[in-house]
Amino acid sequence: MHLTKEDIHNLERIKRLNIINSVSGIKPANLIGTKSKDGQTNLAIFSSVVHLGSNPALLGFVMRPTDDVPRHTYENIKETGLYTINHVPVSIADKAHFTSAKIDREVSEFDRCGLNEEYLEDFSAPFVKECFLKMGMKLVDEMPIQINGTILVIGEIQHLLIPDNAVNEKGYIDLSLYNTAGISGLNNYYSLKTESSFPYARAEEIPDFGA
Amino acid sequence: MHLTKEDIHNLERIKRLNIINSVSGIKPANLIGTKSKDGQTNLAIFSSVVHLGSNPALLGFVMRPTDDVPRHTYENIKETGLYTINHVPVSIADKAHFTSAKIDREVSEFDRCGLNEEYLEDFSAPFVKECFLKMGMKLVDEMPIQINGTILVIGEIQHLLIPDNAVNEKGYIDLSLYNTAGISGLNNYYSLKTESSFPYARAEEIPDFGA
């Protein structure tokens, strides 16, 4: 199958959404937790968290336009400057998925979807108790993406919470150990199986691939 | 384990790189193919491709700073405005990984790593023959990320090439069918297993999660 730019534009809307949301490859399943100034918590699944740098430790995620529908996550981050990013294990993929429903601001997705809040002292945003890897984030920048009105929200890791045995002496984190989920498209969840680990790639150590 | 911002800053550099490159969750394994104006091809693995929008169909990826080392991918994209994004199957993860070595500009990673170029008429950037899902991209914008000197490179899909049977009638793409790889950190490759598919989440259809 070969779809041109025009073919993609002419696809039925839902089919286009499903296809184009799958073509970047596997996406991480993360829950973003926030709390408004007046104390209302919010939880939402995002598949667009992306590594931006290690020192300082920066992660970005993509917010869809805020002018058409309410974006509670974004509003809370703007109010408090804080949020959490929590890895979704496959075992709670169903609960995590349903946080994407449009729920009134007065109702917390934690309650509605059966997930539990957890807190650090002096950090107001809620972590997800059921997640094994969780990060407390501080907003450092946001970049409007002019061409389609999305926003790249950039945060720095303030707190990284992770079970000791999930990190080895090199700093590798085994995502399969706690059954971290991946997503393709908008609705499809995958488990991960470790296949291989390669050394840092040096030109003089490239194997003979029979080129 | 609880690492604060200061603990992360004080980690040994390589350990910090490994840890922080893992905390966004599973990352997609993509090869980006380019060709310079004078005809030299380049191929490089990226784990930062991210969905930005479906109409127009936009993908971003993060380039590290260009002032410290040569960035052939970026230079070629700036010269021609074109590049390809190709999903890495687990079967060629080793070859794909070694494209990250610093190789002289005069040597193509296609040759050095044993991968084959493939072309569309009227599109100069090289696709990777061994990949099942491949896209011809046109540069539409680039956004400097001030805080750490990285660049979000934004492109629009011009061509989407994919086997017919990988897309179902809804537009879902089964990433496990052609054994698409995921990455965590800088060196660790995963295969994907389909676990579940959930409907579009509507508030009135949220299951009773016993909240």
Side-chain angles (χ1 to χ4, degrees):
Chain A
M1 183 159 78
H2 176 177
L3 299 178
T4 65
K5 172 182 164 174
E6 290 70 31
D7 296 333
I8 293 169
H9 178 74
N10 291 330
L11 284 169
E12 184 272 322
R13 179 174 160 272
I14 300 294
K15 191 159 187 176
R16 182 175 57 232
L17 276 175
N18 285 325
I19 291 178
I20 302 303
N21 271 281
S22 298
V23 296
S24 60
I26 191 68
K27 302 185 287 188
N30 285 298
L31 283 164
I32 295 189
T34 53
K35 188 188 262 189
S36 68
K37 265 196 304 194
D38 58 11
Q40 178 62 54
T41 60
N42 189 276
L43 190 65
I45 191 161
F46 281 83
S47 63
S48 61
V49 174
V50 64
H51 171 84
L52 295 178
S54 295
N55 192 24
L58 300 172
L59 298 175
F61 72 93
V62 181
M63 279 294 312
R64 288 164 56 200
T66 53
D67 47 1
D68 46 354
V69 292
R71 301 285 174 204
H72 301 148
T73 297
Y74 182 69
E75 290 163 16
N76 291 345
I77 292 175
K78 294 293 283 181
E79 278 186 18
T80 65
L82 300 177
Y83 54 108
T84 69
I85 298 180
N86 309 265
H87 281 205
V88 174
V90 170
S91 57
I92 64 159
D94 53 350
K95 297 177 176 185
H97 179 75
F98 279 97
T99 63
S100 60
K102 289 182 186 70
I103 300 176
D104 291 343
R105 193 179 178 138
E106 299 68 41
V107 178
S108 173
E109 289 82 4
F110 279 99
D111 297 333
R112 194 68 186 79
C113 297
L115 293 165
N116 287 286
E117 301 174 13
E118 196 174 63
Y119 289 93
L120 283 183
E121 222 176 306
D122 298 325
F123 194 87
S124 67
F127 294 85
V128 181
K129 190 173 181 183
E130 287 79 1
C131 297
F132 86 99
L133 189 155
K134 22 203 169 193
M135 291 168 284
M137 306 294 299
K138 183 178 167 192
L139 177 68
V140 294
D141 203 359
E142 51 179 311
M143 294 171 41
I145 298 178
Q146 309 285 354
I147 189 166
N148 69 355
T150 56
I151 299 169
L152 180 69
V153 179
I154 302 174
E156 183 178 359
I157 303 174
Q158 308 295 303
H159 298 282
L160 170 59
L161 303 167
I162 184 169
D164 291 341
N165 66 345
V167 187
N168 78 6
E169 74 287 351
K170 288 181 178 170
Y172 293 177
I173 296 176
D174 185 350
L175 296 177
S176 68
L177 195 62
Y178 286 83
N179 219 1
T180 298
I183 300 180
S184 79
L186 299 166
N187 309 295
N188 302 296
Y189 292 75
Y190 296 79
S191 58
L192 310 173
K193 181 170 162 257
T194 305
E195 288 285 342
S196 43
S197 182
F198 303 112
Y200 178 82
R202 294 176 208 283
E204 63 276 19
E205 293 166 8
I206 298 180
D208 180 3
F209 287 122
Chain B
M1 184 158 77
H2 176 177
L3 298 178
T4 64
K5 173 181 163 175
E6 290 71 31
D7 297 333
I8 293 169
H9 178 73
N10 291 330
L11 284 169
E12 184 273 322
R13 180 174 161 270
I14 300 294
K15 191 159 186 177
R16 182 175 58 232
L17 276 175
N18 285 325
I19 291 178
I20 303 303
N21 271 281
S22 298
V23 296
S24 60
I26 191 69
K27 303 185 286 188
N30 285 298
L31 282 164
I32 296 190
T34 54
K35 188 189 262 190
S36 68
K37 266 195 303 194
D38 58 12
Q40 178 62 53
T41 59
N42 189 277
L43 191 64
I45 191 159
F46 281 82
S47 62
S48 60
V49 173
V50 63
H51 172 85
L52 295 178
S54 295
N55 192 25
L58 299 174
L59 298 176
F61 71 94
V62 180
M63 279 293 312
R64 287 164 60 199
T66 53
D67 46 3
D68 46 354
V69 292
R71 300 286 176 206
H72 302 147
T73 297
Y74 182 69
E75 291 163 15
N76 290 345
I77 291 174
K78 294 293 284 182
E79 278 187 19
T80 65
L82 300 177
Y83 55 107
T84 69
I85 297 179
N86 309 265
H87 281 204
V88 174
V90 170
S91 57
I92 63 159
D94 53 350
K95 297 178 177 185
H97 179 73
F98 279 97
T99 63
S100 59
K102 290 183 185 70
I103 300 176
D104 290 343
R105 194 181 177 136
E106 300 68 41
V107 178
S108 173
E109 288 82 5
F110 280 100
D111 296 333
R112 194 69 187 78
C113 298
L115 293 165
N116 287 286
E117 300 174 14
E118 196 174 64
Y119 289 92
L120 283 183
E121 221 175 310
D122 298 325
F123 193 87
S124 67
F127 295 86
V128 181
K129 190 172 182 185
E130 287 79 0
C131 297
F132 86 99
L133 188 156
K134 22 203 168 193
M135 292 169 282
M137 306 294 299
K138 183 179 167 191
L139 176 68
V140 294
D141 202 359
E142 51 178 312
M143 293 170 42
I145 298 178
Q146 309 285 353
I147 189 167
N148 69 355
T150 55
I151 300 168
L152 181 69
V153 179
I154 302 174
E156 184 179 359
I157 303 173
Q158 308 295 303
H159 299 281
L160 170 60
L161 304 168
I162 185 169
D164 289 343
N165 67 345
V167 188
N168 79 5
E169 73 286 353
K170 289 181 178 170
Y172 292 177
I173 297 177
D174 185 350
L175 296 178
S176 67
L177 196 61
Y178 286 83
N179 218 1
T180 298
I183 299 180
S184 79
L186 299 165
N187 307 296
N188 302 296
Y189 292 75
Y190 296 79
S191 59
L192 311 173
K193 180 168 162 260
T194 304
E195 289 285 342
S196 43
S197 182
F198 303 112
Y200 177 82
R202 293 175 210 282
E204 62 276 19
E205 292 165 9
I206 298 180
D208 179 2
F209 288 122

